[in-house]
Amino acid sequence: MPDQSKPVVYHIPVCPFSQRLEILLELKGLRDRVAFHVIDITKPRPDWLLELTDGTTALPVLATENGGVIKESLVIMAYLEDRFAERRVARADAYERAVENMLIAREGPFTATGYMFVLNQDPAARAGFHDKMLGHYRDFDRFLRKHNPDGPFLFDRFGLAETVFTPIFMRFWFLDYYEDFDLPVEGFERVAAWREACLAHPAAGQVSREEIVKLYYDYAQGAGNGALLPGRTKSSFVFEPSWRARPWPPRAKYGEPADDAALGLA
């Protein structure tokens, strides 16, 4: 169990919900005030972690120095905002904070749709997921045009809403790669500008497109959270061999799945 001389976040590799905590701390200039401890998603949770979390397996989880445990990334973000209030990322104005929260409230359904899309194994269902994703983006576009039509962010800077959504935009590189999904050129200009500004922000450089595409290959084959696919001996989420040493996976997700050797895992 790691040293608890400062708050510790326990998380899984390339977890978007953990990355939003890292981005928040980068924006505050306080990344070194919280330790991050990686948990191997391909193995059962260690007993000491299950004891810490009262048996729950969802991550990230933050453990405070005095033994407190905080779950759910948005709750952890609120804690970090209050705990390290020197440079707040959330809006100070009450109305602007409410607008920020209205946009953040849309993240859950958006994220769920994207993950169900990549996990989907039925080619006939692709069009439905595609249209549902566009519906989310269309809603974001209207919201952003109403509150800040000139953009690129929701307000005048990369803020809390951007911190919440940017890791999800990054994970959805797997939709671009495995489902050839992207926004149409016309009708989505405002949300496209927001997404691109989020992806380009220097505080959001913790992961790369290559890393996400390689590690999420098993999701594209219907196996999430480190589950092992039939005929495979290693998950695409294993630490070794490193994702950097592996070839790019095949983009075709509905044909014959790649084996360990083709994925550079053998």
Side-chain angles (χ1 to χ4, degrees), residues 138-206:
R138 192 174 290 110
D139 176 56
F140 298 153
D141 195 88
R142 286 193 294 263
F143 190 95
L144 293 162
R145 287 181 189 275
K146 177 178 179 179
H147 293 286
N148 186 8
D150 297 327
F153 300 120
L154 174 58
F155 293 108
D156 60 336
R157 58 175 171 81
F158 188 107
L160 196 66
E162 287 76 19
T163 301
V164 168
F165 276 92
T166 297
I168 307 304
F169 291 148
M170 288 180 159
R171 297 317 175 280
F172 288 176
W173 282 327
F174 57 49
L175 295 179
D176 167 44
Y177 191 85
Y178 294 115
E179 289 289 355
D180 198 27
F181 175 86
D182 201 359
L183 294 176
V185 174
E186 296 182 1
F188 296 84
E189 293 87 353
R190 179 63 185 88
V191 70
W194 183 49
R195 184 179 66 173
E196 291 310 307
C198 288
L199 293 172
H201 197 275
Q206 295 83 7

Side-chain angles (χ1 to χ4, degrees), residues 56-247:
T56 61
T57 59
L59 297 174
V61 167
L62 182 143
T64 68
E65 303 94 315
N66 60 6
V69 176
I70 304 172
K71 304 177 184 181
E72 302 295 337
S73 64
L74 295 180
V75 178
I76 298 172
M77 289 178 73
Y79 169 79
L80 294 174
E81 275 280 84
D82 292 337
R83 170 76 183 270
F84 305 116
E86 302 95 308
R87 183 179 176 185
R88 298 195 70 85
V89 175
R91 306 302 293 185
D93 177 80
Y95 175 73
E96 291 183 351
R97 185 75 180 93
V99 170
E100 193 170 53
N101 280 332
M102 285 193 291
L103 182 54
I104 290 171
R106 290 162 159 81
E107 176 269 322
F110 173 63
T111 299
T113 299
Y115 272 82
M116 288 189 293
F117 193 178
V118 77
L119 284 163
N120 171 57
Q121 300 301 296
D122 179 8
R126 293 179 70 189
F129 282 114
H130 183 278
D131 291 348
K132 193 170 183 179
M133 285 299 298
L134 288 184
H136 288 300
Y137 278 111
R138 192 174 290 110
D139 176 56
F140 298 153
D141 195 88
R142 286 193 294 263
F143 190 95
L144 293 162
R145 287 181 189 275
K146 177 178 179 179
H147 293 286
N148 186 8
D150 297 327
F153 300 120
L154 174 58
F155 293 108
D156 60 336
R157 58 175 171 81
F158 188 107
L160 196 66
E162 287 76 19
T163 301
V164 168
F165 276 92
T166 297
I168 307 304
F169 291 148
M170 288 180 159
R171 297 317 175 280
F172 288 176
W173 282 327
F174 57 49
L175 295 179
D176 167 44
Y177 191 85
Y178 294 115
E179 289 289 355
D180 198 27
F181 175 86
D182 201 359
L183 294 176
V185 174
E186 296 182 1
F188 296 84
E189 293 87 353
R190 179 63 185 88
V191 70
W194 183 49
R195 184 179 66 173
E196 291 310 307
C198 288
L199 293 172
H201 197 275
Q206 295 83 7
V207 295
S208 69
R209 182 176 184 270
E210 179 181 1
E211 182 179 7
I212 288 168
V213 166
K214 289 180 177 180
L215 267 64
Y216 276 92
Y217 175 77
D218 288 356
Y219 270 76
Q221 295 300 315
N225 296 319
L228 203 58
L229 286 158
R232 293 268 304 283
T233 63
K234 290 185 178 180
S235 163
S236 59
F237 273 90
V238 293
F239 293 166
E240 296 294 338
S242 167
W243 61 268
R244 294 178 177 85
R246 305 179 205 171

